[in-house]
Amino acid sequence: MSETGLEGLLLKLSRAVEQSPSTVAITDPQGNLEYVNPKFTRLTGYSSSEVLGKNPRVLKSGDKGLEEYKNLWQTITSGKEWRGEFHNKKKNGEIYYEAASISPIRDPSGQTIGYVKVAEDITKRVELERLRDDLTHMIVHDLKNPLTGIFSAAELFMGGMLGELTPDQKKFMETIQVSSKKLNNLIMDLLDIRKMEDNKLVPNKEEFKSSELKPALNWVFSLAQKENKVVKLDLSDDLVIFADKNLLIRVLENFLTNGLKHTPPAGTITLKISPQNGQTLFEVTDNGEGIPAEYLDQVFDKFFKVEGQKLKTQIDTGLGLAFCKLAVEAMGGKIKVESKMGKGSRFYFSLPLK
């Protein structure tokens, strides 16, 4: 390339950085700022003369711990790229959020001569997510009280405490009970997902026998019967489990109802609980339509929803499977899924014994 051509390319690269909608900062090998682009100064409120020669910690809000900064520095000084988010403070004290990548800059011999940080301002996204979570939390709390009243009234009718019901009346009351239970689980999933994401939900783990799970799952059997499907239990009644019983029940309920949703009439969903290598293995399998391979990594994401010609029904895991993943991990396990189109799916996880 000619000198003129090289100069033109360097000028173009320089203008691209200067006009970039992302903040760009370059430091020396010690991490002190040598260059910041105009987007950096507009976002932070600092002029280039105020920050050049200083460490980027001038933007530090105090939200990120020393250990995180230590890990960041160890990553980039080892020659690797670091990606993450910062909770920073502008010159006027205003807080902002950015998603950033920091990489080493090397000379032709491979020696690190500095570091470059490229970041996107994600403040609006973070604020919207927080607003959504706050609204969700408020709504589910407001729903919980009337729902408890509906469920309690249905139990009184079904228990015969308010008089004998006709077969048709029992059928309607069963529908109310099942629907109330499903809505209650959705509300609890919303509340507990938020707690687990904020590390504010600590599992209350205890020892109990597998037979104690059966009564809590009766409503799922009723739901399966209404849909002309079968739910089978494959477990030993005296098998000892060490877990948070309430969290575990809700995980199994979510797995079973998810299996029911994607299994055709006359299909079978099986819950198997068995000892394995000093742990307890939980498996829920169905012979439904299955999940396309390209979606398997997404089924535990919040609000995941996929429609396609490959499926007769919509994959709409909503919050159920997202809750399952967080709950199992909180109890010391890890969820996995296997599936083949037209053959069914298998969701499984192991929990350690006491």
Side-chain angles (χ1 to χ4, degrees), residues 276-296:
Q276 186 184 76
N277 300 325
Q279 297 192 323
T280 306
L281 176 64
F282 300 82
E283 303 171 86
V284 175
T285 58
D286 64 64
N287 56 0
E289 59 188 335
I291 304 169
E294 61 266 32
Y295 302 140
L296 289 178

Side-chain angles (χ1 to χ4, degrees), residues 28-278:
D28 61 22
Q30 289 71 47
N32 298 312
L33 289 166
E34 292 185 322
Y35 169 82
V36 293
N37 72 341
K39 176 64 177 181
F40 179 99
T41 60
R42 291 196 301 271
L43 177 63
T44 67
Y46 287 100
S47 66
S48 59
S49 61
E50 289 178 299
V51 295
L52 293 184
K54 296 182 180 179
N55 191 283
R57 69 171 65 97
V58 296
L59 303 173
K60 185 177 174 183
S61 68
D63 183 63
K64 190 181 287 291
L66 291 176
E67 191 64 29
E68 292 181 86
Y69 283 107
K70 182 179 178 181
N71 290 336
L72 183 163
W73 186 246
Q74 288 177 341
T75 298
I76 60 176
T77 53
S78 67
K80 299 177 183 177
E81 177 190 16
W82 179 89
R83 287 181 178 270
E85 295 183 2
F86 287 106
H87 182 192
N88 285 339
K89 186 183 292 186
K90 300 180 181 181
K91 183 179 178 180
N92 64 6
E94 184 182 339
I95 297 296
Y96 71 99
Y97 299 84
E98 59 180 7
S101 68
I102 304 176
S103 307
I105 304 171
R106 300 183 181 89
D107 63 17
S109 68
Q111 185 73 24
T112 297
I113 57 174
Y115 301 96
V116 58
K117 170 188 168 186
V118 180
E120 300 288 339
D121 182 8
I122 58 170
T123 305
K124 289 184 178 180
R125 189 196 79 188
V126 172
E127 290 175 346
L128 285 172
E129 287 176 351
R130 287 190 169 184
L131 177 61
R132 181 197 66 193
D133 289 344
D134 288 342
L135 285 172
T136 299
H137 194 263
M138 179 180 68
I139 291 169
V140 297
H141 266 296
D142 288 345
L143 283 173
K144 195 171 181 182
N145 289 335
L147 181 61
T148 300
I150 294 170
F151 190 76
S152 298
E155 281 192 321
L156 288 174
F157 278 108
M158 288 297 293
M161 299 184 68
L162 300 177
E164 193 67 29
L165 298 180
T166 66
D168 284 343
Q169 289 172 333
K170 284 185 177 180
K171 183 178 178 181
F172 287 124
M173 282 300 156
E174 285 176 357
T175 299
I176 292 173
Q177 278 188 312
V178 169
S179 298
S180 299
K181 180 64 177 176
K182 291 170 73 174
L183 184 54
N184 182 71
N185 280 3
L186 173 60
I187 290 171
M188 295 305 296
D189 288 351
L190 281 165
L191 292 172
D192 286 344
I193 282 176
R194 176 70 179 274
K195 290 178 183 177
M196 285 186 282
E197 288 179 333
D198 293 340
N199 296 315
K200 292 180 180 179
L201 191 149
V202 180
N204 179 27
K205 297 166 80 171
E206 59 180 335
E207 285 189 343
F208 57 92
K209 291 186 177 181
S210 56
S211 58
E212 297 178 44
L213 298 173
K214 291 181 178 180
L217 299 175
N218 281 337
W219 74 275
V220 182
F221 300 139
S222 298
L223 178 61
Q225 190 174 20
K226 286 178 177 295
E227 297 180 0
N228 190 28
K229 301 171 187 178
V230 177
V231 172
K232 291 183 178 180
L233 292 184
D234 180 0
L235 55 88
S236 171
D237 286 347
D238 59 358
L239 181 64
V240 176
I241 297 171
F242 182 61
D244 183 314
K245 189 195 297 185
N246 291 329
L247 279 182
L248 178 60
I249 287 171
R250 285 169 50 206
V251 168
L252 298 178
E253 287 175 336
N254 272 309
F255 278 161
L256 291 170
T257 54
N258 187 68
L260 284 171
K261 181 175 181 179
H262 297 288
T263 300
T268 301
I269 300 90
T270 302
L271 167 60
K272 182 178 181 181
I273 307 176
S274 58
Q276 186 184 76
N277 300 325

